């Protein structure tokens, strides 16, 4: 064993891989070469193929199901209806966040089971499951199933569903109001409005969207009869949580459910929840004694993946004569869909603190009404309520600036919280711990050429185009509330060769977590980048975890890693002291090297790890091996914030909106990896652009049919629809966690929605259009211009 300066030559190299370094993602090479391992790449011996027969009606009674011919079809193994599971006690899926109805009673419950029994409340609800030797055989057999429905009247618009004479989504409920949530004070708002020199009002519609992850949902279920354990393969964001939820639904121990989530092709919140198909493949596998697989196709995804957003809000902003914000009033109707998913009620209520933005507002009066409709259930999607809250405050501030004839940036600056006022209690849920809003906004405006916009607008006007510029300054909560319910687990385990495996309870679905965890290993343990492996997504290999959502991984997982690394170092000091015959207190650790103070004696962490497996080289009371775990909660939520500036040009003859320029300045605290950060910001911005300009789920008001059921009708942004998105970071590290990070995964999407729509609104205002809602499609923009021009003639 070499106990000299074995790691000295690596210190410079290791420093280049630590926190703050722009390291290219190690995940990319295998994924780009087709070596990824997604759920659909996994095949188990003897597996059957499951196909789901879904309701063609938005609302109907199930009168009769005749599956006799299907059961006799070639290759068919089984056909299941709700009756086949009637003898099992399977708990209905319900909200993890309880709320109250307007009368104070618990929120409305919906019978969200694995298969619909007597009533289907939306087009796409699962009614029958067919298992066959091949997928095509299962689909062919499904065509032979005769289902008699008694079609009922449906309602897909949440505002319409509130009417007393609206069709009831669920016959057992008195009405379609599921819950109501309030914050602030009506009296406080009334006082602010009475003192206001001006109250600006507008209704904002935030469209319904589909997540459209590049990898559709998929699940393979297997009941291990020998171990009496269910095994689920599925692309998930929270493998441990879904395993616990399945166990709770089946009434068994969580140890009897083994979840394996391999590579995941995008989650964005949609893959957080427990879905019917995950339970179906497990139940079918147990009945059949063989594995069962289900892979969603794109058309099925539009009908069964949880949708998102879909709110209508009436917003009022009270200002004094100097343009200071006095109060904000919001009345939101949120479309929840037909069933209450696990996070359906959290999304429209859990991030309302974002309504304050970075501004000083004295009074708030907020009410959110969640409404059931005959549509796909809603769930989280990149931001989960954050984009909606930020959209409302940023759009109403822009409207105020336009009505007052004030520069929108100046009006924001006038009302912003100063850095020296931190910590700042907003009066609406949040207390901001740090941030330099004005400085970040000023820098972003300068980089975007805000002051020179007038000349660029004149150039566009000379070409017959309308040019607009929009700014949005958004702040969001990230990481989830502090406390043991939001802990995270990390285990660092060395092998006898001196390399380490990091077992993490978080799960990567495109963010680059493996790269980041290797950077942590370089930073805190001085380990070479290629001497580390990262394992996630397996509930048997990783003993505990919460998963990845809410921009939490670097906060929760990173903090746990640092704690575990500290324990590795402490044990290693004891081993190093014993080997080098020194007192523990004389051992100095730095960048993967343990040295005896005042001497040239030293050994590397890899040497220590190898020594740890030699019982004759260890102190008598020490166990062999070198490993440590940490399952601690981070210090609390953080508040990433940023300024977005978007510039657009509109062709009034066609209504086409062209993105010309986009700048975003972000404060996400400590930047772990600038390349990963840019990827997250730009990706989020593009998703926000997609919703602002083109994406929208549309149902027929007549019969609840899904009109945008494929990419032929549901538009997604392409490279040609975008411009160069320029981003920079101006970090203000937080003290809420040991790393100083604030989270970045959702920031781009939060700011893009209002920035793009403010730019479109700014361009159209000069042409007489006073309001337009997303998506700003060519048809919608053209129609708005035609109406405005007709009104002045």
């Amino acid at each position: 064993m070499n106990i000299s300066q074995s790691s000295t030559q690596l210190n410079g190299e290791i420093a280049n891989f630590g926190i703050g370094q722009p390291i290219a993602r190690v995940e990319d090479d295998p994924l780009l070469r087709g070596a990824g391992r997604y759920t659909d790449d996994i095949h188990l011996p003897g597996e059957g193929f499951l196909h789901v027969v879904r309701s063609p009606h938005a609302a109907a009674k199930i009168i009769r199901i005749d599956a006799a011919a299907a059961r006799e079809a070639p290759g068919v193994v089984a056909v299941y209806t709700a009756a086949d599971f009637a003898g099992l006690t399977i708990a209905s899926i319900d909200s993890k966040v309880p709320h109250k109805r307007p009368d104070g009673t618990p929120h409305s419950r919906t019978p969200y089971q694995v298969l619909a029994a007597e009533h289907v409340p939306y087009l796409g609800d699962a009614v029958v499951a067919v298992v066959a030797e091949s997928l095509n055989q299962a689909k062919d057999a499904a065509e032979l199933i005769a289902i008699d429905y008694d079609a009922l009247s449906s309602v897909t618009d949440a505002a319409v569903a509130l009417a007393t004479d609206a069709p009831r989504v669920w016959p057992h409920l008195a009405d379609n109001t599921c819950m109501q949530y309030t914050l602030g004070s009506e009296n406080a708002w009334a006082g602010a409005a009475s003192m206001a020199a001006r109250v600006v009002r507008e209704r904002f519609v935030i469209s319904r969207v589909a997540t459209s992850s590049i990898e559709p949902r998929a699940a393979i279920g297997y009941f291990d009869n020998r171990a009496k354990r269910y095994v689920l393969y599925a692309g998930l964001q929270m493998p441990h949580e879904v395993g616990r939820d399945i166990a709770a639904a089946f009434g068994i121990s969580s140890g009897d459910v083994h979840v394996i989530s391999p590579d995941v092709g995008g989650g964005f919140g949609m893959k957080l929840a427990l879905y019917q198909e995950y339970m179906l493949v497990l139940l079918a596998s147990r009945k059949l004694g063989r594995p069962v697989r289900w892979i969603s196709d794109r058309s099925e995804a539009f009908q069964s993946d949880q949708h998102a957003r879909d709110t209508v809000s009436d917003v009022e902003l009270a200002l004094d004569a100097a343009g200071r914000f006095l109060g904000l009033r919001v009345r939101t109707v949120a479309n929840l869909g037909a069933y209450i998913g696990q996070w359906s009620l959290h999304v429209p209520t859990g991030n309302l603190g974002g309504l304050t933005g970075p501004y000083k507002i004295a009074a708030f009066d907020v009410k959110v009404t969640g409404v059931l409709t005959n549509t796909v259930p809603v769930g989280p999607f990149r931001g989960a309520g954050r984009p909606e809250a930020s959209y409302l405050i940023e759009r109403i501030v822009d409207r105020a600036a336009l009505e007052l004839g004030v520069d929108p940036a100046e009006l924001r600056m006038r009302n912003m919280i100063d850095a020296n006022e931190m910590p700042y209690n907003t009066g609406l849920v949040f207390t901001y711990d740090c941030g330099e809003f004005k400085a970040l906004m000023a820098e972003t405006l300068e980089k975007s050429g805000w002051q020179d916009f007038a000349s660029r607008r004149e150039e566009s006007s000379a070409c017959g185009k309308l040019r607009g510029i929009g700014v949005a300054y958004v702040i969001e909560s990230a990481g989830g509330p502090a406390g043991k319910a939001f802990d995270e687990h990390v285990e660092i385990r060395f092998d006898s060769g001196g390399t380490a495996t990091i077992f993490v309870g978080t799960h990567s679905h495109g963010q680059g977590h493996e790269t980041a965890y290797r950077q942590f290993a370089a930073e805190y343990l001085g380990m070479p980048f290629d001497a580390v492996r990262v394992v996630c997504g397996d509930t048997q290999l990783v003993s505990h975890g919460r998963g990845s959502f809410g921009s939490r991984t670097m906060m929760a997982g990173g903090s746990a890693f640092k704690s575990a690394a500290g324990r590795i170092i402490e044990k290693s000091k004891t081993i190093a002291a014993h080997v080098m015959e020194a007192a523990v207190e004389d051992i100095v650790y730095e960048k993967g090297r343990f040295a005896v103070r005042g001497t040239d004696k030293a050994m590397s962490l890899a040497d220590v790890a190898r020594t740890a497996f030699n019982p004759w080289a260890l102190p008598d009371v020490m166990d062999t091996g070198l490993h440590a775990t940490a399952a601690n909660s981070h210090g609390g939520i953080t508040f990433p914030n940023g300024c977005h500036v978007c510039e657009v040009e509109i062709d009034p003859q066609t209504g086409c909106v062209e993105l010309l320029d986009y700048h975003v300045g972000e404060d996400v605290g400590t930047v772990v990896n600038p390349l990963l950060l840019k990827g997250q910001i730009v990706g989020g911005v593009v998703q926000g652009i997609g919703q602002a300009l083109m994406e929208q789920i549309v149902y027929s008001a007549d019969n609840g049919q899904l009109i945008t059921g494929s990419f032929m009708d549901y538009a997604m942004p392409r490279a040609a629809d975008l411009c160069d998105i320029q981003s920079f970071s101006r970090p203000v590290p937080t003290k809420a966690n040991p790393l100083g990070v604030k989270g970045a995964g959702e920031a781009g999407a939060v700011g893009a929605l209002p920035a793009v729509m403010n730019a479109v609104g700014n361009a159209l205002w000069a042409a007489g259009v006073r309001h337009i809602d997303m998506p700003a499609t060519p048809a919608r923009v053209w129609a708005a211009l035609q109406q405005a021009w007709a009104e002045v003639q």
Side-chain angles (χ1 to χ4, degrees):
M1 182 191 313
N2 179 10
I3 57 174
S4 63
Q5 300 179 17
S6 58
S7 66
T8 302
Q9 69 275 16
L10 292 175
N11 284 348
E13 178 183 346
I14 289 168
N16 293 329
F17 288 95
I19 291 176
Q21 298 301 312
I23 309 301
R25 292 172 18 140
V26 298
E27 298 93 334
D28 288 349
D29 183 71
L31 294 178
L32 291 172
R33 294 177 182 273
R37 188 170 183 264
Y38 298 90
T39 303
D40 194 30
D41 295 318
I42 299 169
H43 293 276
L44 302 181
E47 63 188 6
F49 293 77
L50 184 144
H51 174 70
V52 179
V53 179
R54 301 184 181 277
S55 168
H57 301 284
K61 292 180 181 179
I62 300 174
I63 306 301
R64 183 180 67 94
I65 300 175
D66 183 356
R71 289 189 171 97
E72 299 301 320
V76 170
V77 178
V79 178
Y80 297 114
T81 68
D84 293 293
F85 303 119
L88 303 176
T89 303
I90 303 173
S92 180
I93 299 173
D94 193 18
S95 174
K96 287 179 175 288
V97 182
H99 277 288
K100 302 287 187 182
R101 281 173 46 84
D103 61 5
T105 58
H107 69 260
S108 301
R109 261 66 179 188
T110 55
Y112 201 175
Q113 292 285 344
V114 291
L115 291 171
E118 301 175 353
H119 178 81
V120 287
Y122 74 95
L123 181 143
D125 197 5
V127 180
V128 181
V130 181
V131 183
E133 298 294 349
S134 73
L135 180 58
N136 285 337
Q137 288 176 324
K139 289 182 175 181
D140 289 343
E143 297 290 336
L144 301 176
I145 298 173
I147 306 176
D148 291 338
Y149 293 99
D150 179 10
L152 304 172
S153 297
S154 62
V155 59
T156 58
D157 184 287
V160 176
L162 282 174
T164 55
D165 60 347
R168 280 184 293 164
V169 176
W170 288 101
H172 71 281
L173 298 177
D175 54 40
N176 294 322
T177 299
C178 175
M179 50 74 64
Q180 194 169 87
Y181 183 68
T182 61
L183 287 172
S185 164
E186 291 186 7
N187 290 336
W189 160 256
S194 67
M195 296 186 295
R198 192 183 193 100
V199 176
V200 180
R201 300 177 175 87
E202 190 54 82
R203 170 170 289 186
F204 298 106
V205 177
I206 298 179
S207 55
R208 175 177 282 238
V209 293
T211 298
S212 304
S213 56
I214 194 169
E215 179 207 21
R217 286 190 302 117
I220 303 171
Y222 169 58
F223 184 74
D224 185 342
N225 196 51
R226 184 175 181 179
K228 304 300 180 186
R229 174 185 293 168
Y230 290 98
V231 181
L232 175 69
Y233 295 84
L236 306 167
Q237 295 177 234
M238 305 170 67
H240 291 83
E241 190 73 10
V242 169
R244 289 187 285 266
D245 291 339
I246 291 172
F250 289 1
I252 59 178
S253 168
S254 60
D256 294 332
V257 180
H258 178 192
V259 177
I260 301 169
S261 182
D263 288 332
V264 179
F268 309 112
M270 184 270 288
K271 293 178 182 174
L272 283 173
L274 175 61
Y275 284 86
Q276 296 158 297
E277 297 87 359
Y278 303 161
M279 295 188 285
L280 270 174
V281 294
L282 294 173
L283 294 170
S285 174
R286 180 158 193 174
K287 282 180 173 287
L288 297 173
R290 60 191 291 188
V292 175
R293 68 187 289 117
W294 168 80
I295 310 296
S296 172
D297 62 32
R298 192 61 66 180
S299 295
E300 192 173 19
F302 275 105
Q303 298 179 30
S304 62
D305 292 354
Q306 289 182 349
H307 293 168
R309 314 289 198 234
D310 201 349
T311 63
V312 178
S313 300
D314 291 310
V315 184
E316 299 176 69
L317 179 67
L319 304 92
D320 66 14
R324 304 285 182 180
F325 302 160
L326 300 177
L328 181 71
R329 185 178 189 268
V330 176
R331 292 292 182 268
T332 294
V333 175
N335 192 333
L336 303 176
Y339 288 114
I340 304 304
Q342 292 179 312
W343 303 104
S344 298
L345 305 189
H346 168 73
V347 172
T349 61
N351 290 291
L352 292 173
L355 287 169
T356 64
Y359 311 116
K360 292 180 276 191
I361 305 175
F364 299 92
D365 177 18
V366 181
K367 181 181 293 184
V368 177
T369 302
V371 183
L372 297 168
T373 64
N374 296 110
T375 61
V376 174
V378 301
F381 171 58
R382 203 161 194 168
R386 298 168 182 85
E388 295 92 316
S390 293
Y391 185 80
L392 298 183
I393 182 61
E394 286 303 301
R395 291 286 280 130
I396 198 66
V397 169
D398 235 48
R399 180 58 182 264
L402 290 170
E403 290 190 9
L404 295 171
V406 177
D407 184 315
E410 199 285 324
L411 183 61
R412 286 172 169 82
M413 284 282 199
R414 193 180 302 176
N415 287 279
M416 270 187 173
I417 302 162
D418 287 314
N420 59 16
E421 295 180 276
M422 300 294 178
Y424 186 86
N425 186 333
T426 66
L428 189 73
V429 185
F430 295 154
T431 297
Y432 301 151
D433 63 320
C434 63
E436 298 174 356
F437 309 147
K438 290 183 177 180
L440 179 54
M441 184 172 184
E443 186 173 354
T444 310
L445 293 175
E446 181 180 0
K447 290 178 181 293
S448 71
W450 179 272
Q451 296 300 330
D452 302 324
F453 172 71
S455 62
R456 297 194 296 275
R457 171 173 270 179
E458 289 178 3
E459 293 173 2
S460 294
S461 181
C463 298
K465 303 290 184 68
L466 303 172
R467 197 177 188 115
I469 193 167
V471 62
Y473 199 110
V474 297
I475 184 166
E476 53 165 318
S477 64
K484 295 186 181 299
F486 285 86
D487 63 341
E488 197 46 80
H489 173 90
V490 168
E491 178 185 0
I492 303 171
R493 187 190 305 169
F494 282 83
D495 59 35
S496 59
T499 60
T501 301
I502 305 168
F503 300 86
V504 297
T506 58
H507 197 313
S508 182
H509 34 96
Q511 302 95 325
H513 290 176
E514 182 177 350
T515 304
Y517 279 114
R518 289 193 187 197
Q519 288 183 255
F520 292 151
E523 181 76 19
Y524 297 117
L525 295 175
M527 297 193 66
F529 209 61
D530 58 357
V532 178
R533 302 180 185 91
V534 179
V535 173
C536 68
D538 189 316
T539 62
Q540 294 301 301
L541 296 178
V542 182
S543 62
H544 175 64
R546 296 292 175 185
S548 292
F549 55 93
S551 306
R552 72 186 296 271
T553 297
M554 293 301 97
M555 283 176 280
S559 297
F561 182 95
K562 187 174 183 181
S563 296
R567 294 167 186 173
I568 289 288
I569 292 169
E570 289 306 308
K571 182 175 181 179
S572 296
K573 283 183 176 180
T574 302
I575 296 173
H578 182 74
V579 171
M580 293 187 288
E581 300 178 336
V584 173
E585 53 269 24
D586 288 334
I587 299 298
V588 179
Y589 169 77
E590 183 179 5
K591 296 181 180 178
R593 182 172 179 268
F594 297 88
V596 180
R597 193 188 316 271
T599 75
D600 60 355
K601 288 184 176 182
M603 59 190 302
S604 70
L605 177 58
D607 287 335
V608 172
R610 286 188 282 268
T611 302
F613 287 87
N614 180 0
W616 292 276
L618 297 178
D620 293 337
V621 296
M622 182 175 287
D623 295 333
T624 56
L626 183 60
H627 60 88
T629 63
N632 55 354
S633 60
H634 57 87
I637 60 175
T638 62
F639 299 98
N641 58 93
C643 182
H644 295 234
V645 178
C646 176
E647 200 162 327
V648 302
E649 192 174 64
I650 297 175
D651 183 344
Q653 301 304 313
T654 64
C656 288
V657 178
E658 180 183 359
L659 288 173
L660 300 177
D661 200 16
Y662 200 105
H663 288 262
V664 52
E666 287 288 345
D667 167 19
V668 298
T670 300
V671 177
V672 175
N673 183 320
L675 289 181
L676 297 184
L677 173 60
K678 184 173 183 179
Q680 288 296 297
I681 297 300
V682 172
V685 167
V686 171
Q687 284 186 306
I689 290 170
Q691 182 171 5
L693 297 183
M694 62 195 71
E695 295 186 50
Q696 184 180 25
I697 287 288
V698 179
Y699 284 94
S700 167
D702 296 329
N703 54 20
Q705 291 296 306
L706 179 60
I707 296 174
T708 51
S710 75
F711 287 138
M712 291 293 290
D713 301 296
Y714 186 91
M716 292 281 284
R718 303 181 183 187
D721 299 314
L722 307 172
C723 63
D724 184 28
I725 300 169
Q726 302 180 54
S727 65
F728 72 94
S729 182
R730 194 178 193 279
V732 181
T734 179
K735 295 181 180 179
N737 60 72
L739 276 66
V741 296
K742 293 181 178 179
E746 294 153 314
V750 174
L753 275 181
V756 174
M757 290 305 297
N758 281 345
V760 172
N762 179 265
L764 294 176
W765 186 270
V769 177
R770 292 296 172 257
H771 180 68
I772 188 169
D773 278 315
M774 68 176 74
T777 61
R780 183 171 287 185
V781 171
W782 184 86
L785 286 168
Q786 297 302 309
Q787 181 179 348
W789 292 337
E791 290 175 354
V792 298
Q793 290 178 356

